[in-house]
Amino acid sequence: MDDVIETWVAGNIVPVFGNGNEGPTCGFLRSPADSGVALVAVGAITIDEEISYFSSFGPSYLGQIKPNIAAPGSEVRSASKRADDAYDTLSGTSMATPHVAGVVALLVSSNPDYTYEEITKRLYSGATHTIPSTKGNCGGIPEDTYPNNHVGHGRLSASASVLG
């Protein structure tokens, strides 16, 4: 899988994956978010900007800070497989990941020449540090220090990332 992700990054495709739903224990993330290659691992937060109880924390098995960023992932209204017009309320880092992928798409549409590095720099520098601390500490990094192993660089901000 790492060779596939590396090929995407070489082509300026930004791989965005959910960090996993094994929280709140430190160091329990899912593949491929725990990979050693360049990718964006996404954690989940609530509507109140608190860390979702299920969101996996880093560090990765290689000691990397994970997730890289957090987005709304608790009680997200989503299309349902029950019927063409059905909706459900779902929770998970897989609900947070599309928010980040959407901002990546906005960044690429605003400047098709952006590289992987430029896109991730804008994502991370646009992230806000508004998530209340629970005094957690994973991998020796306090939760109120950014980036950290709870929410990475902070909460995704589309406007700050795109308009920067």
Side-chain angles (χ1 to χ4, degrees):
M1 177 65 118
D2 285 357
D3 58 334
V4 172
I5 295 170
E6 288 171 341
T7 301
W8 292 351
V9 171
N12 289 321
I13 296 170
V14 179
V16 181
F17 296 102
N19 210 44
N21 302 319
E22 279 66 51
T25 305
C26 299
F28 278 85
L29 20 155
R30 287 287 181 173
S31 177
D34 67 346
S35 173
V37 299
L39 55 80
V40 178
V42 182
I45 59 170
T46 69
I47 193 169
D48 298 319
E49 295 194 6
E50 296 173 349
I51 299 168
S52 298
Y53 72 91
F54 54 79
S55 190
S56 292
F57 298 155
S60 73
Y61 72 96
L62 296 172
Q64 299 167 309
I65 292 175
K66 296 290 177 175
N68 302 104
I69 198 162
S74 291
E75 300 181 19
V76 176
R77 188 147 166 89
S78 180
S80 172
K81 64 182 179 181
R82 291 181 291 120
D84 288 345
D85 59 352
Y87 294 91
D88 282 323
T89 301
L90 305 170
S91 296
T93 56
S94 58
M95 294 285 93
T97 301
H99 295 283
V100 177
V103 174
V104 168
L106 289 171
L107 285 165
V108 171
S109 69
S110 73
N111 186 339
D113 295 325
Y114 275 152
T115 64
Y116 168 87
E117 290 78 14
E118 291 167 323
I119 291 168
T120 55
K121 180 179 178 182
R122 291 190 70 114
L123 275 177
Y124 302 156
S125 65
T128 64
H129 301 163
T130 57
I131 299 160
S133 176
T134 60
K135 307 296 183 214
N137 181 327
C138 284
I141 302 171
E143 190 180 70
D144 55 3
T145 299
Y146 291 88
N148 62 51
N149 285 302
H150 296 85
V151 295
H153 292 268
R155 179 186 53 79
L156 175 71
S157 172
S159 60
S161 295
V162 176
L163 302 175

